[in-house]
Amino acid sequence: MESLHFLHFDARHSQAHIALFRNVTNAGALKSRIIAAATAQGEFGETEREAVNFAFIDARLITSKLHLETAIYQAMLAESQSGLRTRTVHSEILYNLNPTHNITEAIRRYGVSETNADVLVVRIDSPDLSPEAVQQKMKDAVIGTVVPLSELESITDWASVKKYHKLNNTEKAIQETAKNPSRERAIVDQIVISSVAMKSVMG
């Protein structure tokens, strides 16, 4: 797990913790738990919402660590300015990752689904919650193996990324790298990062 610190944000939401889980076996159950927790009542409901108080992201659609970090930063910035488009800062990360402004589509595409074996988990919180405590909460929610974020490069589904961002082979920059897959991926990565960074500006 890796942690990011943003000292210029309110201390209550100035840290972001990221973990990559592989060989996840409870993705379907996790999705059902998230949905149920949203409407659960009383003390049980509060406990369940805290247990899944993360952004659970389909790792196949993330092109790089910077791609994810940009979405996290934009979500924290929106929260600090009382400008969230979604209900929570964690769902805002999913919204930022999606190239359109359709919230339901963002959650369906980028959130955890029954078929996910590779899941990125993000928690935004205060320094009062230690990284060790965060990682334990993540492990309590996700059944899988925590691996270095560097493994992300072997997980990304570039065809799906290009499809969702409408980056087909008629794009000049893509055409010019047709025989150089690594160069093509670097360009696609730059495009999607820019898309996330500019989303709030573009309305």
Side-chain angles (χ1 to χ4, degrees):
M1 188 185 78
E2 296 187 15
S3 299
L4 307 173
H5 306 273
F6 300 93
L7 300 180
H8 52 292
F9 288 137
D10 188 301
R12 292 172 298 173
H13 300 98
S14 61
Q15 290 195 158
H17 307 279
I18 309 168
L20 174 58
F21 284 80
R22 303 208 68 179
N23 304 311
V24 174
T25 59
N26 69 325
L30 181 57
K31 179 180 178 181
S32 297
R33 189 179 185 186
I34 294 167
I35 294 170
T39 56
Q41 300 295 313
E43 185 177 342
F44 172 76
E46 292 296 324
T47 301
E48 281 296 285
R49 280 187 285 278
E50 171 57 25
V52 294
N53 186 21
F54 302 95
F56 298 98
I57 304 164
D58 184 348
R60 295 173 299 181
L61 299 179
I62 305 303
T63 57
S64 65
K65 182 181 172 184
L66 182 57
H67 180 205
L68 178 59
E69 289 177 353
T70 305
I72 291 170
Y73 179 84
Q74 292 296 330
M76 295 172 75
L77 180 62
E79 184 183 47
S80 73
Q81 298 174 340
S82 301
L84 290 178
R85 303 289 185 93
T86 65
R87 293 180 62 183
T88 71
V89 69
H90 291 125
S91 57
E92 195 79 4
I93 296 171
L94 301 177
Y95 171 76
N96 288 335
L97 289 167
N98 194 45
T100 76
H101 293 281
N102 187 314
I103 296 171
T104 301
E105 178 185 79
I107 293 172
R108 184 180 71 249
R109 282 182 177 177
Y110 287 85
V112 67
S113 69
E114 293 84 352
T115 60
N116 287 155
D118 302 302
V119 179
L120 281 157
V121 186
V122 179
R123 174 66 175 253
I124 295 174
D125 217 302
S126 76
D128 294 337
L129 190 62
S130 70
E132 293 77 17
V134 172
Q135 181 161 293
Q136 186 57 55
K137 286 175 177 286
M138 290 177 173
K139 289 180 176 180
D140 289 342
V142 182
I143 301 174
T145 304
V146 178
V147 300
L149 291 182
S150 58
E151 290 198 19
L152 183 61
E153 63 184 32
S154 67
I155 298 171
T156 305
D157 180 348
W158 292 96
S160 292
V161 171
K162 289 168 63 178
K163 175 184 175 183
Y164 291 152
H165 286 266
K166 295 182 170 51
L167 299 174
N168 55 48
N169 291 329
T170 61
E171 296 284 342
K172 184 176 180 181
I174 303 299
Q175 283 183 328
E176 292 176 349
T177 60
K179 296 182 179 181
N180 188 339
S182 61
R183 178 59 181 156
E184 180 191 62
R185 291 174 180 180
I187 290 175
V188 171
D189 182 44
Q190 292 171 6
I191 292 171
V192 299
I193 290 170
S194 296
S195 174
V196 173
M198 294 297 293
K199 188 168 185 176
S200 60
V201 178
M202 300 301 289

